[in-house]
Amino acid sequence: MNEIHLTINKQPVIARPGQTILEAAQAAGIDIPTLCHHPALSNWGACRLCLVEVKAMRGLQTACTCPVAEGMEVETETAETTTLRKFVLELLFSERNHYCMFCQMSGNCELQSMAYRYGLDHFPYQRPYEKLPVDASRKYFIMDQNRCILCSRCIRACAELVGNHTLNLRERGANSMVMADLDVPFDESTCVECGTCLQICPTGALIDAKSAYGGREKDVAHTQTTCMQCSVGCQIDVVTRYQRLLRVDGVFDAAPSHGLLCADGRFKPLYEERQRITAPLVRKDGQLVETSWDEALTLAAEKLRAGDAEGLALCATTDAALSAFARLFETVGGRAGTLEPAAPSLGYGQPAHLADILDADCIVVAHAQPLDYQRVVGYFIQRAVDKGAALAVIANAANDLNARAQLVVTPDEVQKVVAAAGEARKIVLIYSVGATATTLAAFDGLADKVYALPLAPARNGAGAAAAGLRPINPNGATAQFFLLGEQEEDAALTGARNGAFTIVQASYHSALAAQADVVLPAPIWAERSGTVTDMTGAQRPLTPALPMPAQVRDEAEVLAQLAEMVSR
């Protein structure tokens, strides 16, 4: 049977086998209230707000856990369900301190919304609220036990989405509280500060330290764009108010990560302390001074036109900018490439996506540290291991995934991994720039079931490769153009100039920019438009959440103008 026919509130509904009443209702546009439920998590049935009446079934049923059946008749808003939901809410408000006037989530709280929906206008069960702990030991967010309703959404998110298993409940009944590990402060725990629990919390129990009290939902703007902190390409929801960044959320219904972010993607951009470059600069009498775009570009074009020019890119920018950078040096007749190393080509197998990690029964990590840089990839690996996938790590040094691995070997022992993987149905081979040809060639015999996922440090390395830019080392040309974007440059670059005339196009001041002869301002991630190419080769959209400062221009536009000036 491919379809199940039922009625919800006397409305005919067609559901799929395995769906719950809640899922069938939501698909049909019928609203059933919930608190402990979240579509990205397993069903729990703890809050009891989704109780519904089902004809011929004894008592009320939790819609989030009750499977649909042929001919089922469901009523969601009867006198009994409405009375019971209001009673449940009254108990929740009496259990801990949920005085909305003093909560930063007021106006964006699921518990508060339910209270308004069911007409709570006072606390019928008054009690002197005991003061419960507030843990502010983490940098980015705070746990306030006074606001917690014990829905366990944070616990399930940590286990099911991140695979980290930091959170759990301690004690039982009225003394229950969410704890980290064996009840230690969060900054002493295994918490990775990805913020998944923060975004998924339905109340003010988990508080974003940066955006708290920055604006209620009705006051803010949302912009969906692509994270540029690494090459995974996670989709993010950038929340702003008065042209100021408030917070970054994941987008649960968007590939590739489906709402999962890491600390770098969710929090790092909000804590940027580097000084912006907001106008063109040129060196005069030994000092960098602000100037016009015409003067800065004229000077840069003159030096590039003279010959012996070299372009060096750190790929923290758009596809269009990297393509324009490559075309500029085709016009100049100079040498251009990227400063980050690229992962070698496998030469066999199929390209892997994040979803393939969850579908694999064998995962091999070779010379890569996903939990250190492409952390969302590491979280997907942890989830896959929790589901039963075998994990093997090939490395010469300690790896953060070793504790989860069934097999940890050196490159000399790669055949052990090949032998163990031989019986697997689907193998995802995740490797990085340090993977040797010998290690990669060892899996050639399993090519028909190998899915390859190369990881590299460049944020838009795939976009650079598509533009024809390959890794190169600086050779000390007479004129050097550094395309840095918003990335921090390698300290070694300041010594690579060798006295060359230096042009830097970047978003922030740096040691290299301080030595440059021409500095061209660039937008930051929240101001960019266009596309970036993720690690799988898919182009992801960039939509500006903030306007660029008046004197900042799009990199691709500037590079195209510079190429035109050079060719005159």
Side-chain angles (χ1 to χ4, degrees), residues 254-550:
S257 65
H258 294 281
L260 186 57
L261 302 178
C262 68
D264 283 354
R266 190 185 299 273
F267 298 116
K268 186 178 178 180
L270 305 180
Y271 287 77
E272 181 61 68
E273 296 180 349
R274 290 177 292 170
Q275 183 182 357
R276 278 294 300 271
I277 301 170
T278 56
L281 306 172
V282 297
R283 188 169 297 280
K284 294 180 179 180
D285 299 324
Q287 300 293 322
L288 282 174
V289 296
E290 286 193 15
T291 187
S292 67
W293 273 103
D294 284 344
E295 181 181 3
L297 292 180
T298 299
L299 180 57
E302 176 188 330
K303 293 297 182 180
L304 293 173
R305 191 186 299 117
D308 191 23
E310 182 176 60
L312 303 159
L314 285 173
C315 307
T317 186
T318 65
D319 295 329
L322 292 166
S323 295
F325 190 69
R327 287 194 297 270
L328 169 63
F329 280 86
E330 288 175 5
T331 304
V332 170
R335 170 177 180 259
T338 65
L339 288 160
E340 297 113 328
S345 175
L346 196 59
Y348 61 84
Q350 305 174 62
H353 298 79
L354 278 180
D356 290 311
I357 297 175
L358 299 181
D359 186 49
D361 55 345
C362 179
I363 301 168
V364 179
V365 176
H367 301 278
Q369 282 274 18
L371 286 174
D372 183 48
Y373 188 54
Q374 286 98 344
R375 298 178 188 176
V376 169
V377 175
Y379 302 155
F380 269 69
I381 294 171
Q382 293 180 159
R383 286 166 61 179
V385 171
D386 286 345
K387 291 174 59 179
L391 173 63
V393 175
I394 305 170
N396 283 316
N399 191 295
D400 293 335
L401 287 167
N402 284 357
R404 304 290 185 102
Q406 285 77 33
L407 192 59
V408 179
V409 302
T410 65
D412 294 337
E413 302 171 299
V414 65
Q415 289 302 326
K416 292 182 180 179
V417 179
V418 175
E423 300 300 318
R425 170 187 55 85
K426 181 176 183 178
I427 304 165
V428 173
L429 176 58
I430 300 168
Y431 64 96
S432 191
V433 296
T436 64
T438 302
T439 298
L440 298 180
F443 294 90
D444 197 356
L446 303 173
D448 59 329
K449 49 188 176 182
V450 168
Y451 290 72
L453 186 61
L455 304 179
R459 300 187 192 185
N460 192 10
L469 298 171
R470 300 290 182 267
I472 62 173
N473 293 314
N475 65 4
T478 302
Q480 290 183 319
F481 191 131
F482 290 86
L483 176 63
L484 302 184
E486 61 186 281
Q487 191 163 326
E488 296 181 33
E489 90 283 3
D490 190 307
L493 294 184
T494 57
R497 294 176 54 248
N498 292 327
F501 185 89
T502 303
I503 306 162
V504 170
Q505 189 173 26
S507 306
Y508 296 100
H509 285 278
S510 64
L512 181 62
Q515 296 181 8
D517 299 286
V518 176
V519 179
L520 306 175
I524 63 170
W525 64 277
E527 300 161 359
R528 296 184 189 278
S529 58
T531 63
V532 291
T533 304
D534 70 17
M535 60 187 180
T536 69
Q539 285 193 324
R540 304 289 179 185
L542 294 172
T543 303
L546 298 174
M548 288 185 285

Side-chain angles (χ1 to χ4, degrees), residues 27-357:
I30 300 170
D31 179 47
I32 298 176
T34 63
L35 272 178
C36 70
H37 174 78
H38 190 281
L41 303 176
S42 61
N43 296 317
W44 200 247
C47 72
R48 320 309 283 180
L49 276 192
C50 70
L51 288 171
V52 295
E53 289 186 10
V54 181
K55 187 176 181 180
M57 294 184 73
R58 183 179 178 182
L60 299 179
Q61 307 298 316
T62 50
C64 69
T65 61
C66 184
V68 295
E70 183 67 25
M72 181 179 275
E73 298 179 25
V74 181
E75 293 291 338
T76 69
E77 292 286 343
T78 65
E80 184 178 1
T81 59
T82 300
T83 300
L84 188 55
R85 286 171 188 158
K86 184 173 182 179
F87 177 63
V88 168
L89 289 167
E90 289 170 346
L91 292 178
L92 284 174
F93 273 90
S94 72
E95 189 173 28
R96 295 191 181 177
N97 189 347
H98 298 292
Y99 191 54
C100 300
M101 296 293 289
F102 293 96
C103 180
Q104 70 101 12
M105 291 301 291
S106 181
N108 190 28
C109 171
E110 295 179 37
L111 178 65
Q112 183 188 54
S113 296
M114 288 298 152
Y116 285 135
R117 175 170 174 172
Y118 287 97
L120 270 69
D121 53 12
H122 67 289
F123 299 153
Y125 307 108
Q126 297 284 345
R127 57 175 291 185
Y129 299 109
E130 62 272 27
K131 292 183 179 180
L132 299 179
V134 176
D135 189 326
S137 60
R138 285 174 294 193
K139 177 178 180 179
Y140 299 124
F141 56 106
I142 297 162
M143 177 68 186
D144 184 353
Q145 300 283 0
N146 298 277
R147 308 291 192 191
C148 180
I149 59 172
L150 301 173
C151 67
S152 84
R153 272 163 58 161
C154 60
I155 296 171
R156 284 175 284 150
C158 187
E160 298 171 12
L161 301 183
V162 191
N164 213 54
H165 302 279
T166 298
L167 303 179
N168 212 325
L169 285 178
R170 68 172 174 86
E171 303 188 50
R172 290 295 179 263
N175 294 321
S176 295
M177 282 200 292
V178 174
M179 68 175 181
D181 294 336
L182 297 177
D183 201 18
V184 300
F186 277 96
D187 69 334
E188 297 176 15
S189 72
T190 56
C191 174
V192 293
E193 291 201 87
C194 66
T196 306
C197 60
L198 168 69
Q199 182 176 344
I200 223 159
C201 176
T203 68
L206 287 161
I207 304 167
D208 184 341
K210 192 74 171 181
S211 67
Y213 301 100
R216 298 184 178 184
E217 184 60 24
K218 64 181 180 66
D219 303 320
V220 302
H222 293 263
T223 305
Q224 184 172 328
T225 187
T226 302
C227 177
M228 292 189 64
Q229 296 303 307
C230 76
S231 59
V232 174
C234 301
Q235 296 302 287
I236 55 176
D237 176 28
V238 184
V239 183
T240 57
R241 187 185 185 196
Y242 300 140
Q243 298 182 6
R244 182 173 70 89
L245 291 169
L246 284 183
R247 68 177 186 274
V248 174
D249 288 333
V251 183
F252 283 105
D253 59 355
S257 65
H258 294 281
L260 186 57
L261 302 178
C262 68
D264 283 354
R266 190 185 299 273
F267 298 116
K268 186 178 178 180
L270 305 180
Y271 287 77
E272 181 61 68
E273 296 180 349
R274 290 177 292 170
Q275 183 182 357
R276 278 294 300 271
I277 301 170
T278 56
L281 306 172
V282 297
R283 188 169 297 280
K284 294 180 179 180
D285 299 324
Q287 300 293 322
L288 282 174
V289 296
E290 286 193 15
T291 187
S292 67
W293 273 103
D294 284 344
E295 181 181 3
L297 292 180
T298 299
L299 180 57
E302 176 188 330
K303 293 297 182 180
L304 293 173
R305 191 186 299 117
D308 191 23
E310 182 176 60
L312 303 159
L314 285 173
C315 307
T317 186
T318 65
D319 295 329
L322 292 166
S323 295
F325 190 69
R327 287 194 297 270
L328 169 63
F329 280 86
E330 288 175 5
T331 304
V332 170
R335 170 177 180 259
T338 65
L339 288 160
E340 297 113 328
S345 175
L346 196 59
Y348 61 84
Q350 305 174 62
H353 298 79
L354 278 180
D356 290 311
I357 297 175

